[in-house]
Amino acid sequence: MGGDFAPESEIKGSIEAALEKSKEIEVILVGKEEVLRNSISGLNLTVPENLSIVNAKDVIAMDESPSDSLRNKPESSLSVSVSLQKENKADASISAGNTGANMAHSTYKLGRLKGIGRPTIGTILPSANKISLVIDAGASVDCKPRHLLEFAVMGSIYMNTMFKVDNPRVGLLSIGEEKSKGNELTFQAYELLEKSSLNFIGNVEGGDILRGNADIFVCDGFIGNIILKFAESILDLLKYKFKAYSELGLINKLKTGIIKGVMKESLSDFDYQNYGGVPLLGVNGVSLIGHGKSSSLAIKNMIFKAEEMVRKEVNKKIETEISKYLEK
């Protein structure tokens, strides 16, 4: 029930996913049942056999306090969906609703994986090297050096397992490549990462992200979220520039029309819909968080990504790998 286009986007994306992978997945729509069924009827859609509905009477607003939602709305669609996973009635939960509430409910109800101090959000960004992972992207604003090491471990496993990146290169985001550049957090995190068995390549700068000079860019959530929001604005700016240029005259419009298809295809990596959502890594379950404006395509791809994370046992691999650092 959360998100800018709920519940239509969720319904369409869920039905599309259920139909496309009818033998691999079961989809559970969680929300106000009457509203969901009326929307399905209004959209003239047919519910496939592998899709069911679980009623949840409350909805968490996009601007609602995560702590308030935990206390006051135990029967919200978000809370009920995470509870289904806790009760082993579902293997994963996804939402395009309130990000903070999603993190709070997932962490509180599912708990953390053994050895993980802070769950983290990892977001995929396009780069000259195809893709890069920025981690943390907003889950933890204030971090300790140990948390950045955990992020690096979880990010390495995620990139290797989900995107087949062999021995992913880990860079620590700082204000310069030199070891002496940074703040107290990066100085101490550098020492931990340098001693780890990860493929740590040292400090990297913001400009290295789109160049693809590392596979994983580690930072605290304050920096990571700024990067994420900035990256999301790039495609909108390009669209605005092309539109403004085309409106200057007929010749400009013809020029824009000629390259429009090429630009659309070449910039498709910037489209969040292709990635679906971002994983909340470190919780004892699979939880994906979608953009508030998630389309049906984004919802469908988020469902597929959740299924893949479950099938490839990402959490089991994280616990195995992080245990190597517990004694250090």
Side-chain angles (χ1 to χ4, degrees):
M1 301 300 293
D4 298 345
F5 308 118
E8 285 80 8
S9 287
E10 281 76 0
I11 290 170
K12 289 180 181 178
S14 295
I15 289 178
E16 288 169 7
L19 289 171
E20 192 169 326
K21 291 196 174 185
S22 59
K23 296 181 179 179
E24 291 100 335
I25 62 173
E26 294 181 17
V27 181
I28 306 168
L29 278 175
V30 182
K32 295 182 177 181
E33 185 169 2
E34 184 178 358
V35 173
L36 293 175
R37 293 197 182 279
N38 287 339
S39 294
I40 291 170
S41 178
L43 294 167
N44 198 28
L45 297 172
T46 301
V47 177
E49 291 183 1
N50 58 327
L51 187 144
S52 58
I53 295 175
V54 169
N55 186 52
K57 69 178 186 179
D58 288 328
V59 178
I60 297 172
M62 295 297 277
D63 59 351
E64 195 164 343
S65 163
S67 57
D68 287 347
S69 73
L70 270 173
R71 287 193 300 267
N72 304 326
K73 291 187 175 178
E75 295 185 64
S76 66
S77 55
L78 175 58
S79 179
V80 173
S81 66
V82 176
S83 293
L84 288 173
Q85 190 177 174
K86 177 67 175 178
E87 297 163 5
N88 294 318
K89 295 177 181 177
D91 296 300
S93 55
I94 71 167
S95 173
N98 185 314
T99 298
N102 199 333
M103 291 188 293
H105 283 260
S106 296
T107 303
Y108 178 75
K109 292 193 173 186
L110 301 176
R112 294 171 294 182
L113 293 173
K114 183 179 180 181
I116 297 298
R118 290 268 181 92
T120 180
I121 294 173
T123 188
I124 294 292
L125 292 179
S127 74
N129 193 39
K130 190 58 179 176
I131 57 171
S132 299
L133 179 74
V134 174
I135 189 168
D136 179 65
S140 300
V141 174
D142 297 307
C143 296
K144 297 179 180 179
R146 166 74 191 193
H147 299 144
L148 297 193
L149 174 62
E150 293 173 7
F151 300 165
V153 172
M154 290 189 281
S156 294
I157 291 168
Y158 185 76
M159 289 295 281
N160 177 255
T161 304
M162 300 295 288
F163 295 97
K164 299 180 181 178
V165 179
D166 186 41
N167 198 24
R169 300 164 298 161
V170 176
L172 179 63
L173 267 174
S174 189
I175 57 172
E177 295 181 356
E178 300 86 354
K179 185 177 179 179
S180 59
K181 295 286 183 71
N183 55 21
E184 196 59 36
L185 173 62
T186 58
F187 292 152
Q188 293 184 38
Y190 192 107
E191 297 296 331
L192 293 176
L193 289 165
E194 193 174 36
K195 294 174 184 177
S196 75
S197 58
L198 298 168
N199 184 14
F200 179 56
I201 62 172
N203 282 346
V204 288
E205 299 176 288
D208 291 313
I209 298 174
L210 297 184
R211 296 190 188 106
N213 291 338
D215 300 303
I216 299 160
F217 293 83
V218 178
C219 57
D220 63 40
F222 185 87
I223 298 298
N225 195 257
I226 292 173
I227 291 170
L228 171 61
K229 297 298 172 57
F230 175 77
E232 288 177 344
S233 71
I234 293 175
L235 190 58
D236 290 335
L237 174 63
L238 291 174
K239 288 178 179 177
Y240 170 80
K241 287 288 189 181
F242 272 96
K243 183 179 179 182
Y245 180 81
S246 69
E247 291 175 349
L248 293 176
L250 179 60
I251 299 298
N252 293 42
K253 187 169 291 186
L254 290 172
K255 289 179 181 178
T256 305
I258 291 171
I259 65 169
K260 184 177 180 180
V262 176
M263 291 299 296
K264 184 177 181 180
E265 186 174 343
S266 62
L267 293 173
S268 62
D269 285 346
F270 277 94
D271 192 347
Y272 76 95
Q273 298 177 102
N274 296 327
Y275 304 108
V278 297
L280 179 59
L281 300 172
V283 294
N284 191 23
V286 173
S287 180
L288 267 74
I289 301 171
H291 200 289
K293 62 178 183 180
S294 288
S295 63
S296 60
L297 176 60
I299 296 293
K300 182 183 78 169
N301 284 331
M302 190 157 40
I303 291 171
F304 290 165
K305 189 66 66 178
E307 182 271 338
E308 187 180 0
M309 286 185 66
V310 172
R311 176 166 42 84
K312 292 184 175 180
E313 299 183 316
V314 171
N315 283 341
K316 185 177 180 180
K317 294 175 182 177
I318 288 174
E319 281 194 322
T320 299
E321 190 64 26
I322 205 71
S323 66
K324 300 176 183 178
Y325 299 92
L326 294 179
E327 298 176 359
K328 297 181 180 181

